[in-house]
Structure formats: structure tokens, C-alpha cells
């Protein structure tokens, strides 16, 4: 009756009690994906802020505002389409009073943001060294180009890390086609910006060699194994 519906905590639209299990599972999946998206977005934004802040303190320009706008534009977010992890229904009920950053999410965001920052700064100085043969703090077009490529792709690669807060991404059996598609599209667009003369001149980039290009990609990709190692340590400590 309408009266019982109004005072109930839960109303089933059918006569199948298994619906309760399905509803709980879907709710957990949605909440899990929200946390993954927050982890990815805040870590990425933090790395951009820290990179600009550090470069400003040291007296050089690592990225321009238009570069950051481009990075945020192509960083497609497909984590919301993730299906639930295998242990989703084996977890203990979440305390309704705990914050969104509970369970170590805040510290994960912090170290991952710093990690991408360090990789971007490394790409900048390596790019300048490969251009001039000198390690120094100065404005460098090659360094800026490599830093742009590294940060753009590091954020994309890091989205794969965010598929599981503690589990290894190499043990996830299902593949997220949207996430893979976003990565490939971002790689193509970023490569076009630094390779097509008209676009690279508009963005103030310098033509970089094949070696520099793959060096930047390697630095960007290293975010995956580094985070995997940290996750492994976290799993060992939690036992």
C-alpha cells in the first residue's frame, strides 16, 4: 500500500528478493567509480599545479596556459564506465559517516600527483639536455615540448592505474574499451599538435626527434609500473 511504501526503507518493484543484491552491487559500483574518477582528476590537476608552481619558483616556463587547456580537453574520462571489481560484494559495508577520501584515497592522490609532477619536470630537463647538451635551469622549447607530451600521456596512462585503488591492473580480466579508445585518441591528437607545423607553431612547440618523442612517452608510461609497485607495498602492509 501507499502507506507502507512511505514508511519503508526499501521498496521492491518486483517480487524477487535477489533484486536487493543487484541494487547493492550497482550502488557499490557507482560509488567506487566516483572515487576512481575523483582520484584520477585530483591527482592530474594537482600535478599541473605543482609543475607550474615549481617551474615559476625556479624561473622558467614549463607549460603555457593553452597547453594546460589542451591537456584538460583531451584527457577523456571513461572511468565511469568501469564494471564492478571482483571483490566488490565481498567488502565490508562502508561506514555511512566516512568521507569520500577515506581508505587512503587522499594520500594516494597526493603521492600520485607529485609523481606525475616529477616525471614532467624530468622530461623538461632531459629535453633541454638532449637539445643543448647542458644541464641547466632555463627556458627551453624542446624541454617544453617533451614536458607537454609527458604530462599529457602520463595523465592518460594514470587513468589505467585508477581502475583499482589497491588491486593490480594486470589482474583485471575485463578491458574497458572506452578507456583504451580515449588513450589512443589522446596519443594521436597530442602527437599531431607537436608534429604538424601549423599546430606546433601555434602552441610554441619545437620539433623533437624520434628519440626525444619516445623518451617522453617512456617517462609517461613509467607512471604505471611505479604505482603498481606502491600498490604492492600497500597490499603487503595491509595484511
Amino acid at each position: 500500500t501507499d502507506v507502507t511504501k512511505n514508511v519503508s526503507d526499501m521498496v521492491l518493484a518486483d517480487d524477487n528478493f535477489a533484486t536487493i543484491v543487484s541494487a547493492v552491487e550497482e550502488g557499490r559500483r557507482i560509488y567506487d567509480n566516483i572515487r576512481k574518477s575523483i582520484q584520477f582528476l585530483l591527482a592530474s590537476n594537482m600535478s599541473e599545479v605543482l609543475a607550474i608552481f615549481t617551474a615559476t619558483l625556479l624561473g622558467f616556463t614549463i607549460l603555457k596556459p593553452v597547453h594546460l587547456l589542451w591537456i584538460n580537453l583531451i584527457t577523456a574520462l571513461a572511468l565511469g564506465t568501469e564494471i564492478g571489481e571482483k571483490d566488490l560484494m565481498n567488502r565490508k559495508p562502508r561506514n555511512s559517516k566516512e568521507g569520500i577520501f577515506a581508505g587512503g584515497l587522499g594520500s594516494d592522490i597526493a603521492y600520485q600527483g607529485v609523481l606525475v609532477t616529477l616525471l614532467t619536470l624530468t622530461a623538461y630537463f632531459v629535453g633541454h639536455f638532449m637539445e643543448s647538451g647542458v644541464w641547466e635551469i632555463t627556458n627551453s622549447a624542446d624541454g617544453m615540448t617533451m614536458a607537454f607530451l609527458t604530462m599529457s600521456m602520463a595523465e592518460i596512462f594514470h587513468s589505467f592505474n585508477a581502475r583499482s585503488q589497491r588491486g593490480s591492473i594486470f589482474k583485471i580480466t575485463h578491458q574497458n574499451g572506452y578507456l583504451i579508445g580515449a588513450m589512443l585518441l589522446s596519443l594521436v591528437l597530442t602527437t599531431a599538435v607537436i608534429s604538424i607545423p601549423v599546430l606546433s607553431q601555434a602552441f610554441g612547440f619545437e620539433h623533437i626527434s624520434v628519440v626525444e618523442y619516445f623518451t617522453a612517452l617512456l617517462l609517461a608510461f613509467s607512471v604505471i609500473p611505479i604505482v603498481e609497485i606502491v600498490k604492492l607495498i600497500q597490499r603487503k602492509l595491509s595484511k
Side-chain angles (χ1 to χ4, degrees):
T1 65
D2 290 337
V3 174
T4 55
K5 289 180 180 179
N6 288 334
V7 299
S8 298
D9 293 323
M10 180 185 299
V11 178
L12 292 180
D14 54 29
D15 58 356
N16 185 5
F17 283 97
T19 304
I20 299 175
V21 179
S22 300
V24 171
E25 184 176 10
E26 182 65 9
R28 289 189 175 193
R29 185 190 72 84
I30 292 173
Y31 185 77
D32 217 28
N33 286 351
I34 290 174
R35 281 170 53 92
K36 292 173 183 178
S37 299
I38 290 175
Q39 176 186 354
F40 167 72
L41 288 172
L42 291 185
S44 298
N45 291 337
M46 181 180 176
S47 67
E48 295 170 11
V49 172
L50 288 177
I52 297 297
F53 180 72
T54 304
T56 301
L57 288 180
L58 295 177
F60 68 92
T61 302
I62 188 169
L63 292 171
K64 297 179 180 179
V66 67
H67 301 159
L68 295 176
L69 289 174
W70 176 267
I71 291 173
N72 291 329
L73 176 66
I74 68 168
T75 306
L77 186 61
L79 289 171
T81 62
E82 282 287 313
I83 66 174
E85 296 182 42
K86 286 185 176 181
D87 67 336
L88 194 63
M89 293 300 288
N90 294 326
R91 301 173 188 173
K92 295 181 179 180
R94 177 179 58 86
N95 189 335
S96 60
K97 295 182 179 180
E98 73 177 19
I100 193 71
F101 298 106
L105 186 66
S107 58
D108 288 342
I109 291 172
Y111 92 80
Q112 289 162 9
V114 172
L115 173 60
V116 176
T117 300
L118 293 175
L119 292 175
T120 303
L121 290 170
T122 301
Y124 181 90
F125 289 116
V126 169
H128 177 63
F129 176 77
M130 296 177 75
E131 173 194 12
S132 63
V134 179
W135 294 103
E136 60 181 346
I137 300 176
T138 184
N139 287 317
S140 169
D142 270 46
M144 181 185 295
T145 305
M146 285 188 62
F148 171 79
L149 177 59
T150 297
M151 176 169 280
S152 298
M153 296 312 302
E155 291 188 5
I156 296 298
F157 290 135
H158 182 52
S159 65
F160 286 85
N161 288 326
R163 295 186 68 192
S164 178
Q165 184 183 358
R166 290 290 181 268
S168 172
I169 62 172
F170 299 110
K171 292 185 178 180
I172 299 178
T173 55
H174 65 276
Q175 298 301 321
N176 188 332
Y178 294 103
L179 199 59
I180 295 174
M183 179 195 67
L184 295 176
L185 179 61
S186 299
L187 178 60
V188 171
L189 292 176
T190 302
T191 302
V193 166
I194 65 176
S195 302
I196 299 175
V198 176
L199 294 176
S200 63
Q201 290 175 10
F203 278 79
F205 291 137
E206 188 73 23
H207 175 73
I208 59 176
S209 65
V210 175
V211 175
E212 290 174 311
Y213 176 82
F214 283 103
T215 299
L217 284 184
L218 182 61
L219 284 169
F221 182 78
S222 66
V223 72
I224 291 180
I226 293 174
V227 172
E228 280 290 309
I229 292 173
V230 175
K231 285 182 181 180
L232 176 61
I233 296 173
Q234 290 172 329
R235 290 196 299 271
K236 295 292 185 181
L237 293 176
S238 65
K239 291 182 178 180

